[in-house]
Amino acid sequence: MIPAHAGSKPTKESALRTIVRINEQIKAVIGDAFRVRMMSLNALILAKRAGQSAVGFGVLSNELRGFASELQGAMQGLQESTTGLLQAVTLNARAALSGRILERLPERAQRRAGGMLARNRHRLDDRHAEVVHWRGRLASILEEVVRTVELGNVLARSTRIEAVYGGAHAPALTQVAVEFDAAITHIRQAIEHLRHLQRL
Amino acid sequence: MKRAETIFEQGDHRWIAVTRDPERPHHLIDTNEYLIASGGHALLCDPGGLEIFPAVFAAINEQLDPSGIDALFASHQDPDIISSLALWLEFKPDMRCYTSWLWCGFIPHFGGDEQTFVPIADDGMTIKVGPTELRAHPAHYLHSSGNLHLHDPEAKLLFSGDVGAALLPNDESALFVTDFDRHIRHAEGFHKRWMGSEPAKRDWCERTAKLGLDMLCPQHGAIYQGADVERFINWFAELEIGRVG
Ligand SMILES: [Fe+2]
Ligand SMILES: [Fe+2]
């Protein structure tokens, strides 16, 4: 069997392949965000039970719940951008294929097909501009996400500190705080990976 | 590159055959394209695959201005027939494409919009190229379930799509069949395997024998002319088809 990328440069991953990998990472983060939301609900109940000694923990848990919703929304925006990028990359590939085939026209036929060649070049430029547009969208949403996740990170760290003041409930609250921390660390790694992929 | 040769000429009524390309990549089946020109208009039969567009376009360009092509005729839906559609439309966006109604929802996957396609009913239709009237000649199930040939009663020529096709060795590139018995050996396997309907075949042979053709022009291999046309029809009528192996 001939590999799908036969004939293209082996050093560079195909744009479609990169988009697939980006999507996988987005799905993973959406899963993590959902988990953080569930955890924060649980933490809120726990904080209520702990009463006065866990007021700060409760406030932070509530903030983390907001963070998780915001992150989920942003990731959905990223997903929309990758759909746009996928569409643009596909149309771009089609125009490029037509261009490569038209390059094979002998000179005399190229003169005759002049308008067609110009139209194809135009189309290629337009498609390229669309690819650039969607990549830009993706990059800017991703930078926002990075800021959001940093806030989430601060919140998660703070829950660990607040947990200590939980009195008799301190061990249970610390356990929850550790889980928050692990989930956010996982999200940060996925986002770092996404930033790397998006630069490819 | 492909060659374009005039096989019929009467005034400005011409048939140009764009025939085999010895330089083509051998993983692609070789094809013939036929251009019918009359009164400053032209129609291209089975324009071929995407990959061979430059070869077809350049060969036609040596003979006449391709801007004169108003329409394409697709005998059926195969990729070797019509996958170049998007590029022809890129060249001339208002080009029309005549094809069986059966394929009008399928071929647009190669390109074109609702303006592009002119559906041909099962019993065929008249297609005008300038003052010349051509007749879409039903050949359903030979091999495609929506299949049409194109008859030019004035020129006495029939474009016969995959019927009459021969898969010739690469060193055989004569335009016309010269030795029928030798030639037909290269057509036998193809017809047995690709053609599936015995009643459709019998019906086609009867109708086609009555056309009084001078030439039968297939999409693959050499053109049958004179007595070889009848020889081919008789051979096909006798052939057992619809067999694997
Ligand atoms: Fe076919
Ligand atoms: Fe064919």
Side-chain angles (χ1 to χ4, degrees):
Chain A
M1 197 162 127
I2 302 164
H5 60 268
S8 67
K9 279 180 225 137
T11 48
K12 200 174 180 317
E13 178 170 274
S14 87
L16 285 179
R17 181 87 197 96
T18 307
I19 291 170
V20 168
R21 295 215 286 158
I22 286 177
N23 243 324
E24 288 306 307
Q25 289 299 319
I26 293 174
K27 280 195 279 184
V29 174
I30 288 177
D32 285 338
F34 180 76
R35 268 201 314 135
V36 171
R37 246 173 82 179
M38 291 297 112
M39 279 157 54
S40 61
L41 285 174
N42 189 35
L44 273 169
I45 294 166
L46 216 66
K48 264 236 162 74
R49 214 176 287 155
Q52 202 51 41
S53 59
V55 170
F57 192 90
V59 170
L60 288 169
S61 299
N62 198 37
E63 287 297 310
L64 274 164
R65 189 172 61 167
F67 153 77
S69 314
E70 199 183 316
L71 182 61
Q72 268 183 318
M75 296 315 283
Q76 261 144 25
L78 268 188
Q79 243 172 354
E80 276 161 30
S81 294
T82 51
T83 305
L85 183 61
L86 176 66
Q87 168 93 346
V89 161
T90 307
L91 291 173
N92 187 53
R94 207 171 91 175
L97 170 68
S98 299
R100 279 199 299 279
I101 289 173
L102 294 178
E103 268 170 27
R104 300 211 305 264
L105 280 168
E107 209 181 303
R108 208 146 37 160
Q110 277 207 16
R111 273 203 298 278
R112 180 79 79 184
M116 176 189 196
L117 295 175
R119 268 197 300 283
N120 190 264
R121 263 195 299 274
H122 248 102
R123 179 155 310 138
L124 205 54
D125 288 345
D126 288 351
R127 300 296 186 231
H128 187 72
E130 274 168 47
V131 171
V132 169
H133 163 80
W134 284 112
R135 289 186 75 123
R137 273 288 291 277
L138 206 96
S140 73
I141 298 178
L142 205 49
E143 285 320 301
E144 252 173 66
V145 167
V146 168
R147 282 193 292 275
T148 306
V149 172
E150 275 322 303
L151 175 68
N153 190 38
V154 171
L155 290 170
R157 289 272 148 89
S158 306
T159 54
R160 287 186 81 156
I161 298 165
E162 283 296 324
V164 177
Y165 303 109
H169 293 274
L173 294 178
T174 303
Q175 175 61 29
V176 174
V178 167
E179 282 170 21
F180 271 136
D181 207 19
I184 303 285
T185 303
H186 197 244
I187 290 173
R188 287 177 86 195
Q189 283 165 350
I191 298 295
E192 244 343 281
H193 193 189
L194 266 174
R195 283 173 100 181
H196 166 74
L197 285 173
Q198 167 263 317
R199 282 188 218 107
L200 287 180
Chain B
M1 266 290 148
K2 275 174 160 286
R3 278 176 307 158
E5 287 170 81
T6 300
I7 56 172
F8 170 85
E9 188 161 24
Q10 195 172 68
D12 69 354
H13 180 189
R14 283 167 82 191
W15 273 62
I16 295 165
V18 179
T19 56
R20 273 150 296 162
D21 181 3
E23 292 163 29
R24 79 174 198 292
H26 289 320
H27 64 279
L28 296 172
I29 187 169
D30 211 351
T31 54
N32 301 322
E33 293 73 32
Y34 298 91
L35 188 77
I36 305 167
S38 183
H41 296 269
L43 172 143
L44 182 61
C45 298
D46 287 3
L50 187 67
E51 283 293 322
I52 63 156
F53 173 85
V56 175
F57 186 90
I60 291 173
N61 190 45
E62 294 301 306
Q63 295 279 337
L64 55 78
D65 182 350
S67 317
I69 303 173
D70 320 292
L72 305 172
F73 173 85
S75 62
H76 60 292
Q77 84 293 5
D78 271 346
D80 66 324
I81 304 290
I82 190 67
S83 65
S84 61
L85 178 62
L87 289 178
W88 284 103
L89 291 171
E90 178 96 47
F91 174 64
K92 197 174 171 182
D94 60 350
M95 214 176 256
R96 311 298 295 273
C97 178
Y98 291 89
T99 195
S100 163
W101 67 272
L102 214 59
W103 302 124
C104 285
F106 293 70
I107 297 178
H109 284 280
F110 289 137
D113 54 33
E114 57 267 40
Q115 310 302 318
T116 309
F117 296 92
V118 184
I120 307 177
D122 282 341
D123 58 352
M125 74 183 283
T126 299
I127 299 171
K128 285 191 78 166
V129 177
T132 298
E133 289 197 349
L134 306 170
R135 185 77 204 157
H137 183 70
H140 308 301
Y141 296 103
L142 299 173
H143 64 89
S144 165
S145 42
N147 206 115
L148 291 136
H149 296 164
L150 195 58
H151 179 218
D152 184 338
E154 219 177 292
K156 295 194 172 74
L157 260 63
L158 178 73
F159 166 61
S160 62
D162 281 332
V163 173
L167 306 177
L168 299 173
N170 281 322
D171 56 344
E172 280 187 41
S173 60
L175 184 56
F176 293 102
V177 173
T178 47
D179 179 342
F180 183 85
D181 294 331
R182 221 168 64 100
H183 173 87
I184 211 67
R185 286 205 298 266
H186 301 295
E188 194 174 320
F190 182 85
H191 287 77
K192 277 183 175 165
R193 184 66 177 84
W194 262 263
M195 306 296 161
S197 166
E198 180 62 33
K201 184 194 74 169
R202 232 178 298 128
D203 176 57
W204 181 89
C205 287
E206 273 168 33
R207 283 184 293 111
T208 308
K210 289 182 199 144
L211 296 178
L213 297 174
D214 280 349
M215 286 182 209
L216 186 131
C217 310
Q219 191 227 354
H220 310 278
I223 298 169
Y224 304 81
Q225 63 174 339
D228 282 339
V229 174
E230 201 187 327
R231 258 184 218 122
F232 171 77
I233 295 171
N234 291 338
W235 170 87
F236 189 35
E238 294 297 317
L239 188 72
E240 191 194 340
I241 58 167
R243 282 185 46 181
V244 178

